[in-house]
Amino acid sequence: AQSVSQHNHHVILSEAASLELGCNYSYGGTVNLFWYVQYPGQHLQLLLKYFSGDPLVKGIKGFEAEFIKSKFSFNLRKPSVQWSDTAEYFCAAYNNNDMRFGAGTRLTVKP
Amino acid sequence: EAGVAQSPRYKIIEKRQSVAFWCNPISGHATLYWYQQILGQGPKLLIQFQNNGVVDDSQLPKDRFSAERLKGVDSTLKIQPAKLEDSAVYLCASSLDRRAFFGQGTRLTVV
């Protein structure tokens, strides 16, 4: 069965620190990959997506992610986090009408 | 554009009672998902509709959960009877091109 794994359950950073959240998927074949963010009390919002082409994708608010096919990974990065980035981050993979989410990583940014 | 609408936002019921959630997807979105998000976990797919047909309901506990999407637009998810472990946020999402747009969710507490 296809699955999505997120390595970090809770990450705590100070403002201006760099961020990298890990995501691995177990699909074979063509896969579409997403990162969603859920700010406290709000609904899930799309941060960025990868369908095809350039494996380095840029999303909103300075986030980017790199698709590495050989590693089945789609890690999320941001060079300098802000307090307002405090949220839960979910990696998701879509293949053949099936969309699965990882367990999520809670990011806490200390001012 | 208008987003995915869900109601109610919150619901508290006693175990063994029944409950229903409603979802109105974004206009024109053929695909509709219901997810269950238990605290501290990622969204888990319960059922996926394509127009008014079921694409995937393999993770839906069919002895107590049911869902329908009449006329391929609005959808309802019902739980009867509810158990304590059904306490979660129930998310509805719709998509047109593999990108899922989420509603605010319904937070269900079973006591």
Side-chain angles (χ1 to χ4, degrees):
Chain A
Q2 44 209 19
S3 65
V4 177
S5 302
Q6 291 183 242
H7 313 305
N8 313 101
H9 182 63
H10 191 188
V11 173
I12 302 172
L13 296 173
S14 297
E15 275 195 313
S18 64
L19 169 72
E20 180 159 4
L21 302 182
C23 172
N24 287 91
Y25 60 95
S26 67
Y27 297 64
T30 302
V31 63
N32 304 133
L33 298 160
F34 307 83
W35 276 97
Y36 282 86
V37 60
Q38 189 170 30
Y39 298 103
Q42 296 189 26
H43 61 282
L44 283 159
Q45 300 172 44
L46 182 66
L47 204 53
L48 49 78
K49 64 187 185 298
Y50 172 78
F51 284 177
S52 64
D54 189 344
L56 184 63
V57 293
K58 296 190 184 299
I60 60 173
K61 304 186 181 185
F63 286 91
E64 64 179 32
E66 186 175 12
F67 170 57
I68 303 179
K69 188 174 182 179
S70 61
K71 295 185 179 180
F72 295 87
S73 70
F74 190 57
N75 292 355
L76 181 71
R77 299 195 292 250
K78 185 170 183 178
S80 176
V81 295
Q82 300 173 312
W83 176 80
S84 57
D85 293 325
T86 294
E88 188 111 21
Y89 293 81
F90 294 93
C91 181
Y94 178 96
N95 170 267
N96 196 27
N97 277 327
D98 187 350
M99 185 164 215
R100 304 278 171 150
F101 285 79
T105 298
R106 183 186 302 173
L107 172 64
T108 301
V109 180
K110 298 187 292 185
Chain B
E1 64 180 7
V4 176
Q6 288 188 249
S7 67
R9 286 292 310 278
Y10 306 94
K11 191 75 178 178
I12 301 174
I13 62 172
E14 295 183 348
K15 59 184 178 183
R16 291 188 288 274
Q17 285 187 322
S18 62
V19 64
F21 313 127
W22 174 81
C23 172
N24 179 235
I26 293 172
S27 178
H29 283 195
T31 306
L32 186 147
Y33 307 87
W34 281 103
Y35 287 89
Q36 180 193 58
Q37 187 177 14
I38 293 172
L39 188 65
Q41 299 180 22
K44 183 185 96 172
L45 180 67
L46 292 175
I47 188 166
Q48 178 186 343
F49 292 94
Q50 185 74 15
N51 296 308
N52 61 346
V54 175
V55 174
D56 183 356
D57 64 355
S58 57
Q59 298 192 87
L60 187 73
K62 298 181 186 62
D63 57 333
R64 298 184 301 105
F65 286 64
S66 64
E68 61 182 8
R69 191 182 184 195
L70 298 175
K71 301 180 182 178
V73 182
D74 293 6
S75 178
T76 56
L77 176 69
K78 296 178 182 177
I79 308 175
Q80 182 180 12
K83 293 184 175 182
L84 295 176
E85 58 261 36
D86 297 332
S87 293
V89 175
Y90 290 84
L91 299 167
C92 179
S94 69
S95 76
L96 183 62
D97 62 351
R98 295 160 287 172
R99 288 175 296 172
F101 294 84
F102 285 83
Q104 296 261 16
T106 297
R107 182 178 298 278
L108 173 68
T109 303
V110 182
V111 298

